[in-house]
Amino acid sequence: MTIILNDEADTQRLAKAIAKTNPTGSLWLLGDLGAGKTTFTRHLLHALGHVGAVKSPTYTLVEPYDIHGKPVYHADLYRLDDPEELDFIGFFEYFDEPNSLVIIEWASRAKSLLPKPDMLINITRQADESRVVHMTGIRLDG
């Protein structure tokens, strides 16, 4: 499925639509720096019910959230030096938690070690600042 996002309000509407599906598993966010991966994640976490700030995990690697009993992990692997580091921090245990959602930016940095994504969102910024979003594994009804 391909969607055009003309502004941040469109990004928020898309995040709300995905939140309504109660996503679980692994969601990979692809796109260049500045494409809007973290912005999308912020809107998704709020649409799922998180109240408060959403920190970028660029330096912490992972930011955990408990949203109404649903474990959600937002990971940013951009600064990952060695994919083996994920094992040391217990990253793979996140996938074993029932009903968990693991949102991963820059998953390509550890592609060989990560389980295949359940959902994939590729965001491409256009010259006019709109975004083209290609999604697989996500079904939006209505």
Side-chain angles (χ1 to χ4, degrees):
M1 173 185 304
T2 301
I3 295 176
I4 304 293
L5 305 175
N6 292 305
D7 53 28
E8 190 168 339
D10 285 349
T11 302
Q12 185 176 26
R13 280 188 286 278
L14 176 60
K16 285 180 179 180
I18 292 173
K20 287 180 183 177
T21 70
N22 190 27
T24 59
S26 174
L27 167 60
W28 288 14
L29 292 171
L30 308 177
D32 291 333
L33 283 170
K37 298 177 298 293
T38 301
T39 298
F40 170 81
T41 301
R42 177 172 36 88
H43 287 300
L44 179 59
L45 292 173
H46 285 149
L48 288 169
H50 174 68
V51 177
V54 174
K55 299 177 191 174
S56 174
T58 301
Y59 293 99
T60 59
L61 205 60
V62 179
E63 286 293 332
Y65 298 89
D66 183 320
I67 304 173
H68 306 299
K70 178 185 189 69
V72 179
Y73 301 94
H74 178 201
D76 184 335
L77 307 185
Y78 184 73
R79 298 197 183 280
L80 186 70
D81 291 323
D82 182 347
E84 299 290 330
E85 292 174 38
L86 294 175
D87 203 23
F88 296 122
I89 65 167
F91 186 77
F92 299 104
E93 294 171 18
Y94 302 149
F95 298 97
D96 296 332
E97 289 187 56
N99 197 38
S100 69
L101 175 61
V102 183
I103 304 165
I104 307 171
E105 298 182 39
W106 298 98
S108 60
R109 303 258 184 194
K111 187 176 181 178
S112 63
L113 295 178
L114 292 172
K116 292 194 184 302
D118 298 294
M119 299 159 282
L120 187 78
I121 297 178
N122 189 351
I123 305 171
T124 306
R125 183 173 52 182
Q126 305 299 296
D128 66 359
E129 295 301 316
S130 68
R131 282 15 182 206
V132 175
V133 178
H134 298 283
M135 300 185 300
T136 57
I138 299 170
R139 182 184 164 144
L140 301 177
D141 294 325

